[in-house]
C-alpha cells in the first residue's frame, strides 16, 4: 500500500516556492537552477518511471484521489522532495495557463558530455534550431524510433523550456541530450565510426536510396537556413526528400521524422 505523504497547503501565488517555480519560465532561471517544469500527471509519472526524482511536486486537491498521484507523492517524499497542495488559481498563475494541468513537477535537468557519448545505432545532431515546438517534437520522434540521443549544436533553443517539454509529450525524460559548439562538434565528429548524413538542397541522393548501416549520425539544420556550409561539409552524404507539389521544403520536425523513420526502418516492427 502506498504510504500517504503530508503536503504543505499553499493558497497564495506570492508564496516563495510558487514564485521560484514561476521563475523557471525564464531560460536564465532554468540555467541558473538547472531545473525545469513538467506539466500533467502523465509527464510526472513518466519522469519517475524513467528514474527522474522530483525536486517539487505541486498538485490541486481534486487530483489527490488518483492512485498515480499518490504514488508520485510517496516517491517524491521518499526522495526528500517537496510536496505542495495548491488551488487552481495558484496553478494558473504558476503555469501562466487559463486551464492548467492539476499536477506539475519540478525536475533537475540532465546533460551528457559529448566526450562520453557512445555511438549506439542512431544519434541526431541539430544545428541552431530556434523553435522549441520543433525541438520538442523531434525529441518525441527520437524517442519513437529509439534513437540514442540528440546533440544540440550552437545557439539552439532550450529543450527544457515549457514549450519544448510540452511538445515532447514526456519524451524529454527518455532521450539523452548533449550540448556542443560547432567547433566542439566538428572535432568530435572526426572520430565518429559510422555514416554522417544530412539533408541539404545540394544533396544529390534520394534519402530512400542510401544504405543506413548503424551507427548513423543524422545532421539537421535550422528552420530557415538549413545546415550551414561548414556543417554540411562534415556529412558523408547529403540527401534530399523529393517534393511533388508546390512546396519546396518541409517543416524541420517533419523532415527529421521522415529521415528518422527511413534510417530506422529495418528495425521497426509492429508488435502483435
Amino acid at each position: 500500500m502506498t504510504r500517504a505523504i503530508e503536503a504543505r497547503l499553499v493558497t497564495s501565488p506570492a508564496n516563495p516556492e510558487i514564485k521560484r517555480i514561476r521563475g523557471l519560465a525564464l531560460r536564465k532561471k532554468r540555467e541558473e537552477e538547472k531545473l525545469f517544469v513538467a506539466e500533467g500527471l502523465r509527464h510526472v509519472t513518466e519522469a519517475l518511471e524513467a528514474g527522474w526524482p522530483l525536486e517539487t511536486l505541486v498538485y490541486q486537491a481534486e487530483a489527490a484521489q488518483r492512485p498515480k498521484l499518490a504514488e508520485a507523492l510517496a516517491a517524491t517524499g521518499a526522495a526528500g522532495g517537496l510536496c505542495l497542495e495548491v488551488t487552481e488559481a495558484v496553478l494558473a498563475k504558476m503555469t501562466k495557463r487559463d486551464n492548467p494541468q492539476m499536477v506539475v513537477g519540478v525536475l533537475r535537468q540532465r546533460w551528457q558530455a559529448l566526450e562520453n557519448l557512445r555511438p549506439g545505432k542512431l544519434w541526431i545532431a541539430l544545428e541552431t534550431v530556434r523553435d522549441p515546438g520543433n525541438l520538442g517534437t523531434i525529441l518525441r520522434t527520437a524517442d519513437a524510433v529509439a534513437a540514442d540521443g540528440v546533440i544540440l549544436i550552437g545557439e539552439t533553443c532550450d529543450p527544457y523550456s515549457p514549450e519544448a517539454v510540452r511538445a515532447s509529450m514526456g519524451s524529454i525524460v527518455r532521450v539523452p541530450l548533449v550540448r556542443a559548439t560547432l567547433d566542439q562538434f566538428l572535432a568530435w565528429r572526426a572520430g565518429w565510426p559510422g555514416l554522417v548524413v544530412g539533408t541539404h538542397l545540394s544533396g544529390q541522393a534520394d534519402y530512400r536510396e542510401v544504405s543506413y548501416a548503424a551507427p548513423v549520425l543524422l545532421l539537421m539544420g535550422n528552420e530557415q537556413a538549413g545546415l550551414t556550409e561548414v556543417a554540411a561539409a562534415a556529412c558523408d552524404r547529403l540527401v534530399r526528400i523529393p517534393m511533388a507539389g508546390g512546396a519546396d521544403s518541409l517543416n524541420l520536425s517533419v523532415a527529421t521524422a521522415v529521415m528518422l523513420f527511413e534510417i530506422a526502418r529495418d528495425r521497426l516492427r509492429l508488435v502483435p
Side-chain angles (χ1 to χ4, degrees), residues 33-52:
E33 300 204 35
K34 305 295 188 292
L35 298 171
F36 73 101
V37 173
E39 300 176 10
L41 182 56
R42 173 188 167 184
H43 290 184
V44 164
T45 299
E46 288 182 346
L48 290 169
E49 290 174 348
W52 290 52

Side-chain angles (χ1 to χ4, degrees), residues 91-168:
L91 269 177
K93 190 77 172 179
M94 188 178 72
T95 60
K96 299 180 180 179
R97 293 168 71 113
D98 292 334
N99 297 297
Q101 296 277 353
M102 288 195 290
V103 179
V104 172
V106 179
L107 301 99
R108 190 152 298 279
Q109 298 181 16
R110 291 184 181 179
W111 294 95
Q112 290 195 10
L114 185 64
E115 59 270 21
N116 296 336
L117 184 155
R118 296 184 177 181
K121 294 181 179 179
L122 172 59
W123 276 83
I124 305 128
L126 304 173
E127 186 184 22
T128 60
V129 174
R130 301 296 190 189
D131 187 299
N134 275 335
L135 180 51
T137 302
I138 290 171
L139 293 178
R140 184 179 180 184
T141 308
D143 187 16
V145 300
D148 295 286
V150 174
I151 304 168
L152 305 177
I153 304 169
E155 296 298 319
T156 298
C157 62
D158 184 8
Y160 291 112
S161 70
E163 298 85 359
V165 173
R166 288 175 196 140
S168 81

